[in-house]
Amino acid sequence: MFGNSHFNRVREIFADQFEQDANGFRYRRAMKGAAYRVSEAERDQFVAKFNKRLRYASWAIAPATIILILLLAWLIPDSDSELAEGAIWGGVAAILIPFMAIYYWAWNAPARELQRRTPESAALTREEARSLAFSKITYGQLGLAAAFGVGLVWMKSVDEDVFHGWGMIWLVSGVGLVALSVVQAIRKWRHGQQ
């Protein structure tokens, strides 16, 4: 989740909420909310603030992880105990929850700041939002997701029996991912035919 290419994609998705037209930019929260007119300077300022907040939040993860490791090594030297396992998961949650809170707060900053303005147009209808979503998903992405589902079952079947006991979770997950990909591909195709 914290790779540079992932953050670049997140920055692109955030910037895509600002659609350019002849009069400047229109902001739609999650690309489907009500449209608010913004200037190019405002758009650049929103994007710069989001990038800065995302960078600071991601930078905080490394020192927080080091502090967690040192605290666990100092307070719970027996790393194989149930207490250590619970403390690790609690520590990871203590790192990720504030990160996610900062992330969503930064993501929704334009919506908070623009809510006092009169919207230029209403939010997209459900059908318009669906059409936009299908236009952004490619068949290649859906095929890759289906292949990942098959690969997941294949990899896990080497280590454990995926047809019995808890191993069935992997089988159900893989089949579910393949089925979801096929359903979405069919929905995209049918939507394109209309």
Side-chain angles (χ1 to χ4, degrees):
M1 174 178 177
F2 303 109
N4 195 35
S5 63
H6 176 75
F7 280 137
N8 289 339
R9 181 68 185 130
V10 168
R11 289 181 184 104
E12 289 173 17
I13 293 170
F14 180 81
D16 286 346
Q17 295 180 107
F18 297 90
E19 180 184 23
Q20 188 171 12
D21 61 15
N23 299 324
F25 288 89
R26 293 187 316 169
Y27 167 77
R28 285 188 186 273
R29 182 178 180 186
M31 294 182 276
K32 60 185 177 184
Y36 294 92
R37 177 66 53 193
V38 294
S39 67
E40 186 174 355
E42 285 177 311
R43 180 242 184 221
D44 292 345
Q45 183 181 17
F46 282 131
V47 170
K49 279 183 183 178
F50 176 78
N51 291 342
K52 183 171 130 181
R53 290 170 179 162
L54 183 64
R55 185 173 53 248
Y56 288 159
S58 63
W59 284 350
I61 290 175
T65 303
I66 292 169
I67 291 169
L68 172 64
I69 292 168
L70 293 175
L71 281 173
L72 289 172
W74 179 49
L75 297 174
I76 309 172
D78 181 17
S79 62
D80 292 333
S81 69
E82 288 184 28
L83 176 65
E85 188 174 323
I88 289 169
W89 285 109
V92 169
I95 293 170
L96 290 181
I97 289 172
F99 171 80
M100 294 306 291
I102 292 168
Y103 172 81
Y104 284 111
W105 180 77
W107 184 273
N108 293 317
R112 285 192 310 273
E113 291 184 34
L114 297 172
Q115 70 184 356
R116 289 182 186 87
R117 290 188 190 175
T118 304
E120 185 177 80
S121 63
L124 297 178
T125 64
R126 189 173 182 178
E127 188 61 32
E128 291 170 332
R130 184 177 294 129
S131 177
L132 178 65
F134 282 135
S135 72
K136 295 194 178 291
I137 297 172
T138 66
Y139 288 109
Q141 291 169 327
L142 293 170
L144 188 62
F148 180 76
V150 171
L152 177 70
V153 174
W154 181 285
M155 287 184 344
K156 290 301 179 180
S157 68
V158 172
D159 297 331
E160 55 189 285
D161 183 8
V162 294
F163 294 107
H164 298 95
W166 288 104
M168 286 187 66
I169 291 174
W170 299 111
L171 180 64
V172 170
S173 299
V175 169
L177 191 55
V178 170
L180 179 66
S181 300
V182 169
V183 167
Q184 290 299 86
I186 292 169
R187 290 177 70 200
K188 178 179 173 60
W189 177 79
R190 286 181 61 199
H191 195 76
Q193 297 298 315
Q194 294 175 352

